[in-house]
Amino acid sequence: MRFGGLTALHDFSIRVFRGDIVGLIGPNGAGKTTCFNVMTGFYRPTEGKVLFEGRDLTGMGPHQVCRAGIARTFQNIRLFANETVLQNVMIGCHVRHPLHWWEAPLHFGPVAAKERAIRDRAMALLEEVELAHLAGECAASLPYGAQRRLEIARALATEPRFLLLDEPAAGMNPQESQKLLAFIRHVRERFNVTIMLIEHDMKVVMGVCEHIWVLDYGVLIAQGTPKEIQANPRVIEAYLGEEAVADA
């Protein structure tokens, strides 16, 4: 992936197996979010392809990638800030339960039944992320950690088979980060979804990921299990540092 004279990703190739929880780590500016943007249709790669379950997604728009079964959260939270918590999740549900333009003004019969089903589905997802009691609150009024969980609930509302989480532990205290580990595992099992995350909190990465790729200046410098990554001299030099390895 090139931007003018800047190569953000170079000869980068990975394979994620169904049902795994995997991580993509590296210093700031390494190309991690660019990778997510390529995978989800925000960027079209300068060269190469994006394949999902044997289907070529290269060149598809984000909405088409989402319909194909890939959902994501963002490094900088992107909620519909002026809508309620419930409405944010209901919007995600409409990917699988769309209304035609001429159905929007109608509130009876099949249309009303579809809206009730979407509302019920959204409320169930809010229960999963422990936000059901805040369903009527404005999304912008939620604490930071709750906004992160809401964004995950909205992504899950699209019924993905592959979920990309961009720094889900950002802004969380150590107790919240520890709780996140169990939550990510729960999401994998409960929703039968493959998960890939970008994260700087090494306790989260090493605690939940089964395989990790390491980027540095857009180049893959290592891959392996958490134990292999912690022991890799190149990764320690470029990113982790001795202290981070000890803490993780």
Side-chain angles (χ1 to χ4, degrees), residues 78-106:
R78 296 187 187 178
L79 296 172
F80 299 102
N82 295 323
E83 304 294 338
T84 68
V85 169
L86 177 61
Q87 287 167 336
N88 266 269
V89 183
M90 289 178 68
I91 289 168
C93 292
H94 279 283
V95 171
R96 302 296 172 201
H97 307 278
L99 288 174
H100 298 290
W101 66 266
W102 49 266
E103 292 180 301
L106 305 178

Side-chain angles (χ1 to χ4, degrees), residues 182-194:
F183 176 68
I184 291 174
R185 294 190 191 99
H186 170 75
V187 167
R188 192 251 304 263
E189 301 303 324
R190 173 70 176 81
F191 297 95
N192 191 30
V193 64
T194 305

Side-chain angles (χ1 to χ4, degrees), residues 106-153:
L106 305 178
H107 297 285
F108 55 86
V111 176
K114 186 181 290 187
E115 281 293 317
R116 283 195 299 271
I118 288 173
R119 181 177 293 268
D120 290 345
R121 167 69 174 163
M123 282 300 300
L125 286 167
L126 289 176
E127 291 280 0
E128 293 283 352
V129 298
E130 300 180 356
L131 292 176
H133 63 294
L134 298 173
E137 298 293 324
C138 180
S141 70
L142 295 185
Y144 191 82
Q147 289 190 24
R148 283 281 177 196
R149 297 202 307 276
L150 176 57
E151 198 177 33
I152 292 173

Side-chain angles (χ1 to χ4, degrees), residues 6 62 87 91-92 130 136 168 182 202 216 218 226 242 244:
L6 173 67
Q87 287 167 336
I91 289 168
E130 300 180 356
M202 286 302 102
D216 190 28
E242 299 288 351

Side-chain angles (χ1 to χ4, degrees), residues 167-178:
E167 297 195 27
M172 293 186 179
N173 61 42
Q175 291 74 28
E176 290 172 327
S177 295
Q178 192 62 35

Side-chain angles (χ1 to χ4, degrees), residues 162-182:
F162 190 23
L163 178 62
L164 309 181
L165 304 177
D166 197 344
E167 297 195 27
M172 293 186 179
N173 61 42
Q175 291 74 28
E176 290 172 327
S177 295
Q178 192 62 35
K179 190 175 181 181
L180 179 68
L181 295 176

